[in-house]
Amino acid sequence: MSKIVSEVIAANDVYVQNFGDKGKLPLPPGRKLAILTCMDARLDPAKYAGLAEGDAHVIRNAGGRATDDAIRSLVISHKLLGTQEWFVIHHTNCGMELFSDEIIADLLDDDLSTASFDRKTWSNPHHHGGHAAGHFVKWHTIKNQTASVVQDVRRIREHPLVPQNVPVYGYVYDVSSGRLEEVKAATEAGRAVA
Ligand code: ZN
């Protein structure tokens, strides 16, 4: 067993011992909110937004982008599980700002192993076994956090399967302070229409 696997299993044993009555939680989120946010390891939505098990849906992907699959989850979240307010939360210093579709496609075309970044450019440690498939993927990179939050809130708001009475709020999480800063233009764009 790898070190990581044994650490995860050991931590889970402790979690199970302290599980309490959480097995009785209902399936629908108790506080009726959903958060779409980035997968960045420094972000812990349960902590930064004060969530406990059973409270909320948290949908995560690279960048916290409103991709087709993120919207699929949000639609299920409201339609079948009753969430009534949604947050889109991007963050400062996001890795999605550090490359373009062309850069990642070229890196993957050359080699699949982990690339390195010198604060300016990405490079591959090896140069074999790459694949051209990366040129055909839309990677949803980010040029400007504020603009990306507005874009994503607008995309959700304007989606035909998203009801007009669900407000969508836009925020940027500051990784240097832990603070959520509202993107007013996004929240305005995501305003519910009663
Ligand atoms: Zn990120």
Side-chain angles (χ1 to χ4, degrees):
M1 196 186 290
S2 84
K3 181 168 175 284
I4 292 294
V5 172
S6 42
E7 286 170 2
V8 166
I9 298 307
N12 180 250
D13 282 341
V14 175
Y15 184 70
V16 167
Q17 283 160 30
N18 301 301
F19 197 62
D21 59 2
K22 289 195 279 286
K24 299 192 181 82
L25 283 170
L27 194 163
R31 293 173 61 202
K32 299 185 188 297
L33 79 145
I35 294 176
L36 170 60
T37 197
C38 185
M39 68 183 189
D40 191 294
R42 295 166 295 180
L43 274 58
D44 187 339
K47 289 181 182 154
Y48 75 54
L51 308 174
E53 291 91 336
D55 276 354
H57 284 144
V58 177
I59 298 141
R60 302 186 72 165
N61 62 30
R65 303 307 313 266
T67 59
D68 288 348
D69 195 64
I71 291 175
R72 176 186 69 88
S73 295
L74 287 168
V75 169
I76 291 168
S77 175
H78 171 77
K79 180 68 184 170
L80 302 182
L81 295 164
T83 60
Q84 303 296 336
E85 295 176 79
W86 296 348
F87 292 76
V88 172
I89 303 176
H90 294 178
H91 66 100
T92 59
N93 192 228
C94 185
M96 297 294 278
E97 295 169 285
L98 305 180
F99 64 97
S100 62
D101 279 12
E102 189 183 9
I103 288 170
I104 189 170
D106 286 346
L107 287 165
L108 288 163
D109 197 325
D110 177 48
D111 194 285
L112 300 184
S113 59
T114 302
S116 56
F117 186 63
D118 66 3
R119 291 169 176 262
K120 225 173 158 189
T121 48
W122 291 94
S123 55
N124 279 327
H126 316 290
H127 305 281
H128 50 76
H131 201 288
H135 294 291
F136 299 86
V137 176
K138 167 84 174 151
W139 296 93
H140 303 288
T141 58
I142 290 173
K143 281 194 187 132
N144 173 297
Q145 288 301 338
T146 306
S148 65
V149 172
V150 175
Q151 260 175 29
D152 288 17
V153 167
R154 282 192 59 205
R155 184 172 191 229
I156 294 166
R157 171 80 297 139
E158 293 164 9
H159 195 279
L161 299 179
V162 171
Q164 293 291 306
N165 63 349
V166 174
V168 188
Y169 314 119
Y171 282 81
V172 170
Y173 171 90
D174 185 340
V175 295
S176 68
S177 66
R179 187 172 301 282
L180 291 173
E181 302 280 0
E182 187 178 27
V183 179
K184 289 203 164 54
T187 297
E188 180 58 27
R191 204 174 73 248
V193 182

